[in-house]
Amino acid sequence: LKCLHKSEVVAHKQQDNVMNEKNIMIMCNHPFILRLFNTYTDRYRLYMLLEFCPGGELFTVLHTPTKDGVSPSAAKFYCAGCAMALGYLSDRDIMYRDLKPENMLVDIAGYPKIIDFGFAKQQKAKTYTLCGTPEYMAPEIILGRGYDKGVDWWALGVLLYECIAGYSPFCDPQGMDQQVICQNIVNGRLKFPRSNFDQPAKDLCRALLSKDSSKRPGVRVGSDVLEHAYFNTFDFQTYEARNMKAPWLPPVKSKTDASNFDPFDV
């Protein structure tokens, strides 16, 4: 049960974002998008009754104390669910605008779910709002030229790269300087580490991380990404039916075990 204090929503001028989140999530019914079952309100708070995913954030699967990144097959597993979810949103003219491993949870069966629709927007025309996380922003967002749902397919390219390499393609190797990150994105020099990336993975990354938004697979038809050579041997029917073995299962004692989430102060 997600609880939002009305006073904090108003203080941070998040009324439109909260309503967008609620309206878009309530209309979505997809196996790889977190379900919003109902909403409630009282005098001081808003409540959202959400599906529970005990595996925690995908970020903690990709970045452990001993290793960054996952195997190429695990990367394909997580990015397949993400691509299917983005295709579903794209077909409904929904821009998600904040794809990153922190905004994906792992459910009890090990499958990914996209969460947090606070930046999502249903719109066919271009928009100009600067939002998202720097390392996952498309160049057209940074340059302020207006953008469409192509930004989500760019972010999928960043996610695929990070899953395999263990770091994002345009990160600041010296730290977290946002100016350096943005310069790297606009310059668009894509380099691959020597190991783990096969040719289809490189080709899909390059296609998704095209500076020309219209050339990114998925922009015209969401299923374009699923038909890419990278997924040639991937069984999407078995995957969607959730009959494929996940690369990692959450070590939970019960369906309500919250141990994979960090404690936080209210």
Side-chain angles (χ1 to χ4, degrees):
L1 189 66
K2 180 174 178 177
C3 171
L4 302 168
H5 290 265
K6 291 179 181 178
S7 60
E8 291 184 8
V9 172
V10 172
H12 294 98
K13 298 180 181 177
Q14 293 296 304
Q15 297 96 311
D16 288 345
N17 282 4
V18 169
M19 291 308 297
N20 269 342
E21 181 176 14
K22 176 260 201 184
N23 291 334
I24 288 173
M25 286 194 79
I26 210 84
M27 74 166 76
C28 291
N29 185 4
H30 190 273
F32 308 118
I33 294 175
L34 194 75
R35 286 291 307 276
L36 171 61
F37 294 108
N38 213 336
T39 57
Y40 313 95
T41 183
D42 61 24
R43 186 176 176 186
Y44 299 108
R45 300 174 188 86
L46 303 170
Y47 304 92
M48 302 171 78
L49 185 62
L50 299 159
E51 178 181 10
F52 179 55
C53 294
E57 295 177 0
L58 180 62
F59 183 88
T60 60
V61 179
L62 301 184
H63 303 284
T64 69
T66 57
K67 187 184 177 187
D68 291 305
V70 292
S71 69
S73 60
K76 190 173 293 187
F77 182 92
Y78 296 126
C79 289
C82 184
M84 291 177 79
L86 289 181
Y88 176 90
L89 296 173
S90 180
D91 291 344
R92 287 155 181 78
D93 296 312
I94 295 170
M95 287 180 263
Y96 177 65
R97 303 198 294 181
D98 200 20
L99 185 70
K100 55 183 177 180
E102 295 92 328
N103 279 347
M104 296 176 71
L105 295 182
V106 180
D107 69 14
I108 197 163
Y111 283 75
K113 300 257 187 181
I114 291 180
I115 67 164
D116 196 345
F117 280 70
F119 285 152
K121 188 176 190 177
Q122 189 171 34
Q123 182 172 307
K124 286 187 178 181
K126 282 190 174 185
T127 189
Y128 293 82
T129 311
L130 179 66
C131 64
T133 302
E135 287 187 48
Y136 275 73
M137 279 184 187
E140 58 266 32
I141 298 179
I142 294 166
L143 295 169
R145 295 174 180 168
Y147 59 88
D148 55 21
K149 54 193 177 184
V151 299
D152 290 333
W153 297 109
W154 169 280
L156 178 63
V158 178
L159 178 69
L160 173 58
Y161 188 104
E162 183 173 342
C163 283
I164 299 175
Y167 54 88
S168 64
F170 306 109
C171 65
D172 171 16
Q174 308 301 321
M176 290 293 292
D177 188 321
Q178 292 189 4
Q179 190 171 349
V180 172
I181 293 166
C182 290
Q183 285 173 345
N184 290 343
I185 291 168
V186 172
N187 291 337
R189 294 194 190 95
L190 189 59
K191 296 179 181 177
F192 295 96
R194 291 182 181 179
S195 60
N196 289 347
F197 278 89
D198 60 17
Q199 195 57 48
K202 289 180 181 179
D203 290 343
L204 181 54
C205 277
R206 286 194 185 101
L208 291 168
L209 297 173
S210 168
K211 282 189 179 182
D212 185 345
S213 172
S214 66
K215 291 182 179 177
R216 293 172 201 154
V219 171
R220 285 171 295 179
V221 182
S223 59
D224 280 354
V225 174
L226 311 187
E227 293 167 4
H228 190 276
Y230 176 68
F231 288 114
N232 266 357
T233 58
F234 194 84
D235 188 342
F236 281 100
Q237 283 188 316
T238 301
Y239 185 83
E240 191 169 8
R242 298 162 62 82
N243 291 327
M244 190 178 290
K245 186 179 178 182
W248 177 80
L249 287 176
V252 292
K253 296 174 183 176
S254 71
K255 289 183 179 180
T256 56
D257 184 346
S259 60
N260 287 304
F261 291 90
D262 292 328
F264 64 95
D265 295 324
V266 176

